[in-house]
Amino acid sequence: INPIAGTFLADPFWFSYNQRRWILAEEYVENESKGRLVCLDPELPHCAEVAQVVLEKEFHLSYPFPIQEDGQLFLLPEAQQTRELRLWSCKEFPANWMPSTQLLDDFPAIDPTITKFEGIYYLWVGHQERDPRHQSFLFSSSSIHGPWKHHPCSPIRHHWTGRNGGAILQIKGELWRPCQNRRGTYGASLVLRKIQALSPQHYEEGV
């Protein structure tokens, strides 16, 4: 996918909605020095040239994490300059979104990632001011709307490879967390870490 001149695409999320495949991504506008969120139709040729802007603010937006719950589509973007983590609810796909529940306050969230496991929701999220390259904070809740409790095993720390790199993967009944490898160039590669134990009280993942 080739971006239009003066922009680049980052943080792509493939997902299914209305029996179609779509891509949500950050589109970074170089002359504005900030990102906005766009939706791409991968079935269209040159889809980046006709991408629809779904969310744009005066501050930087990235990591457009999509979540579907009881037939409702939500978006959980990174907006760390606001120092809050908020769900956005889709009113009309793809370009009409309204602010919904605030999940965390006074928390400059980086790469927020949610999954549901055995009836409980888990949130992995970096903190801009607390070593986001090396660790993610873990929260749990019985509802996607919270309240979110800080996990007793949080933060999850790995030197240079602690930052989230996408949705939690479920492969043959096993959970895997993609993490960014920051030992070299930013965005150069990912590390997959197997989640070996996950409950509101316990957490383990492979090194």
Side-chain angles (χ1 to χ4, degrees):
I1 298 176
N2 296 315
I4 60 176
T7 72
F8 64 81
L9 296 172
D11 297 340
F13 285 92
W14 286 76
F15 69 106
S16 296
Y17 186 68
N18 287 341
Q19 300 180 329
R20 289 278 309 280
R21 297 281 282 173
W22 305 90
I23 302 172
L24 284 168
E26 171 199 342
E27 182 179 67
Y28 188 85
V29 183
E30 294 177 350
N31 64 6
E32 298 179 7
S33 299
K34 68 181 181 71
R36 60 191 181 188
L37 306 183
V38 297
C39 183
L40 299 91
D41 182 348
E43 295 185 5
L44 294 177
H46 312 292
C47 62
E49 298 177 9
V50 292
Q52 294 194 58
V53 176
V54 301
L55 199 59
E56 184 171 18
K57 296 293 180 183
E58 65 276 10
F59 46 82
H60 177 72
L61 291 166
S62 59
Y63 205 83
F65 187 85
I67 310 165
Q68 297 188 56
E69 177 72 6
D70 295 329
Q72 176 66 53
L73 179 62
F74 294 97
L75 184 62
L76 185 64
E78 174 187 316
Q80 56 96 2
Q81 290 169 299
T82 67
R83 300 190 68 87
E84 69 174 26
L85 180 60
R86 181 176 295 277
L87 278 174
W88 291 71
S89 175
C90 184
K91 300 303 180 183
E92 184 177 357
F93 187 81
N96 187 358
W97 299 80
M98 296 294 292
S100 183
T101 313
Q102 180 178 296
L103 305 188
L104 299 176
D105 185 32
D106 195 23
F107 194 107
I110 300 291
D111 299 341
T113 302
I114 288 178
T115 200
K116 187 178 183 181
F117 180 68
E118 295 183 347
I120 301 294
Y121 294 89
Y122 296 91
L123 165 66
W124 293 256
V125 58
H127 190 295
Q128 175 64 20
E129 300 161 3
R130 301 181 186 174
D131 287 340
R133 293 172 294 180
H134 306 302
Q135 64 185 6
S136 290
F137 291 83
L138 181 60
F139 298 82
S140 67
S141 176
S142 60
S143 166
I144 196 173
H145 298 285
W148 289 89
K149 296 175 59 178
H150 193 226
H151 197 282
C153 296
S154 179
I156 313 303
R157 187 172 179 85
H158 298 284
H159 193 54
W160 293 112
T161 58
R163 182 170 173 170
N164 292 324
I168 302 298
L169 305 176
Q170 297 195 30
I171 304 173
K172 296 181 179 180
E174 297 178 339
L175 299 180
W176 297 80
R177 183 168 76 101
C179 300
Q180 298 182 39
N181 182 0
R182 297 295 304 276
R183 290 189 176 93
T185 304
Y186 175 68
S189 64
L190 294 173
V191 174
L192 283 180
R193 299 194 178 281
K194 183 179 179 181
I195 298 174
Q196 298 163 325
L198 179 59
S199 77
Q201 295 78 35
H202 303 286
Y203 186 81
E204 293 181 21
E205 67 179 24
V207 176

